[in-house]
Amino acid sequence: MSVANQLDCDVLVVGSGVAGMSAAITAASRGLKVVVAEKAAFYGGTTSRSGGWLWIPNTQMAKALGHVERPDQALTYIKDQAGENFDEKRVRAFIKNGPKCIEFFTSKTVLQFDMPLTFPDYHAEAPGAAQGGRSFVTRPMDAREMGPLLKDLGPVLPELTVFGLTIGSGKDIIHFMRASRSLESAWYVTKRLTKHFMEVLRYGRGMTLTNGNALAARLAKSAANLSVPVLLSSPVTQLLRDGERVTGAVLEQQGQKIKVNARMGVVLASGGIPHDEERKKKVYAHVRSGHQHWSPTPESNTGDGARMAEAVGGVFDDTLQQAAAWTPMSLVPRKDGSTGIMPHFIDRAKPGVIAVNQDGKRFTNEANSYHDVVQAIVESSVGKQNSFCWLVADHRAIRRYGLGFVKPFPMPMGEHLSNGYLKKARTVAELAQKIGVSAASLDETINRYNENAQYGRDPEFGRGSKAYNRYQGDALHGPNPCVEPLKTGPFYAIKLVPGDIGSFMGLKTNENGQVIRTDGSPIEGLYAAGNDAASIMGGEYTGAGITLGPGLTFGYIAANHIADQVQVKQSAPAYLA
Ligand SMILES: Cc1cc2nc3c(=O)[nH]c(=O)nc-3n(C[C@H](O)[C@H](O)[C@H](O)COP(=O)(O)OP(=O)(O)OC[C@H]3O[C@@H](n4cnc5c(N)ncnc54)[C@H](O)[C@@H]3O)c2cc1C
């Protein structure tokens, strides 16, 4: 191999999302010399465009709010959900280290979180589930604290902003949804927007970082405080070995190869396979059958970690129940001609909204988690040319809650109608014709739904029957926060297609985060965390934050395992001084 240059470090981290940065910060704080290589021109990966929610049971934050779990309660839940893919050793490592990891980050770095009083697990009726105390969100951050680091922070998804303002997934979203109905919320939104516009005038952008953008920023700031270099536009292309041990990697910078000697280990955190087209054809069942799939994750997440690990004996676990964290998406025509991919996290649960399949029939409890709803869309599209369904709402619902990229009143809808994103019709029959389903079928579906909905009931699919449904519905709406007849025309529809917000299938690892071979033996010097490692939830989506929480924790576990292998002085070595 001809290399232009050489770099020496203790730990090489591949990828600058939550898992990579967690490993980098932990290792650096243990006195190791760390280098982070990032393929994209920005740092933060999917993490920087995410909701910024983490799922970790038994933290001090939870205890302070009175959420005290029974011993092994979280283990029982994950075991129930993961089924045959339950990996007890890794799950125990997560549950044991998660609270310590949060303690470390909140006391030694600039990472901070806020926990709501309640946020039910997605299957809150299952054994071991909790009604709150496990999901918490990254605290917003003033972008001015980032200094020069701000310019390289991964951008948010434009579809999740209003006038360029990212609505925080904590109290922001509640106030924005209620702004037309509550004076308090209207005042909150006015203040928030005014501050945003003032910042845009002064700095050319909003300066309140929220959600995953705040998480990626806080991680980058923490890494910078420990003098960890993050090399942008530097894809790692190959692992290097000495015998069976991984000793470093080759990365590329501006067409030149650089050899990185990593004395103690390489941590793969390249964000999984959401844009690995070959692998997706094998493990995404609907893609295998020729159906389309969409992902708003960064296009740089092309499964490099998995491929490089396989080349040195690692194993990709394709046995999980579901290959990725599915989310229904709508496709938003952008002004520049490109297509935005808009995740539908909460609108499906609002009263006055239902989903119908390509035959004009309801097919699932729309208020279930995004992961569950996509499985239902795919199942209901078997035998069709593509997987999709329609989200249907009446006028009252769309103006009250918005729908997908369409914002609630008083925001205008005209552009969404003229570019075809939103279909509108005076009658149900006309809407059916516009979305290409049988008018008789859609009419029958809505009439049947309305008959029971007037009493707040949904005997067919049980909207509002689960804690998670009700949490995402409208708490101010009774008797069922998820149910209201669709009766006030005009009627509206948006097409929903299957998508993902990250992959679940990934490399087999052990409880230390080490990549393992088929026989279960660890590959010395090689670790994987975040979506490069197979999800500990076995392919289920169990609660808000079940990729970022384990991603942060296993980055921390891997780095501590590396540091524990060697005698490291606790005081910072000379090169960090
Ligand atoms: C809209 C949205 C909302 C979400 N909300 C949540 C949420 O609230 N909670 C939650 O738990 N999950 C959420 N997710 C999912 C979550 O963001 C991801 O699962 C998580 O960020 C993955 O973290 P990671 O560190 O594994 O990878 P990433 O954050 O994707 O980082 C991987 C990085 O590796 C880089 N890379 C790839 N290949 C190479 C290479 N060869 N060399 C060097 N670098 C490389 C990539 O460019 C990328 O920057 C959301 C996702 C989306 C899209």
Side-chain angles (χ1 to χ4, degrees), residues 175-193:
H175 285 302
F176 273 82
M177 282 281 187
R178 288 185 188 159
S180 62
R181 290 179 291 151
S182 141
L183 261 183
E184 188 201 345
S185 295
W187 179 231
Y188 178 97
V189 169
T190 309
K191 276 194 307 187
R192 184 90 167 78
L193 282 174

Side-chain angles (χ1 to χ4, degrees), residues 360-562:
K361 298 193 168 113
R362 282 184 72 215
F363 58 96
T364 191
N365 177 343
E366 304 88 342
N368 282 346
S369 86
Y370 28 96
H371 187 60
D372 295 344
V373 166
V374 168
Q375 289 171 60
I377 295 174
V378 168
E379 205 173 299
S380 146
S381 305
V382 170
K384 308 279 187 199
Q385 226 171 6
N386 242 320
S387 292
F388 66 88
C389 74
W390 294 94
L391 202 55
V392 177
D394 70 356
H395 189 71
R396 184 168 167 275
I398 199 169
R399 295 318 272 152
R400 186 164 272 201
Y401 309 109
L403 198 67
F405 194 41
V406 181
K407 305 289 181 297
F409 178 83
M411 297 290 282
M413 295 195 288
E415 192 182 333
H416 306 301
L417 291 166
S418 56
N419 67 19
Y421 174 71
L422 179 68
K423 311 284 180 205
K424 174 183 177 185
R426 280 173 298 109
T427 63
V428 169
E430 193 185 322
L431 187 71
Q433 190 251 325
K434 285 198 169 166
I435 64 176
V437 304
S438 140
S441 177
L442 187 63
D443 196 50
E444 207 256 327
T445 298
I446 291 182
N447 283 338
R448 182 136 45 98
Y449 174 72
N450 284 351
E451 251 169 54
N452 292 292
Q454 58 184 315
Y455 308 110
R457 292 197 299 257
D458 176 24
E460 260 187 304
F461 295 102
R463 283 178 72 96
S465 63
K466 298 173 186 163
Y468 176 72
N469 297 170
R470 295 189 290 277
Y471 189 74
Q472 299 293 15
D474 176 0
L476 302 178
H477 179 83
N480 183 334
C482 303
V483 173
E484 170 75 16
L486 279 72
K487 53 183 183 217
T488 4
F491 299 92
Y492 300 85
I494 288 175
K495 191 177 189 176
L496 293 189
V497 296
D500 73 86
I501 54 170
S503 45
F504 279 158
M505 288 183 179
L507 291 164
K508 284 195 177 173
T509 53
N510 66 15
E511 66 277 21
N512 305 316
Q514 291 171 288
V515 176
I516 56 176
R517 302 183 180 86
T518 5
D519 64 5
S521 62
I523 300 173
E524 295 301 324
L526 188 62
Y527 296 76
N531 294 353
D532 270 2
S535 167
I536 55 164
M537 305 300 170
E540 258 300 351
Y541 212 114
T542 52
I546 57 102
T547 61
L548 295 176
L552 189 82
T553 306
F554 274 100
Y556 168 85
I557 290 175
N560 276 317
H561 189 259
I562 295 172

Side-chain angles (χ1 to χ4, degrees), residues 237-254:
T237 53
Q238 186 197 341
L239 294 171
L240 299 173
R241 280 190 295 179
D242 181 4
E244 291 299 300
R245 186 185 171 86
V246 171
T247 53
V250 177
L251 64 78
E252 289 182 9
Q253 257 180 3
Q254 295 169 345

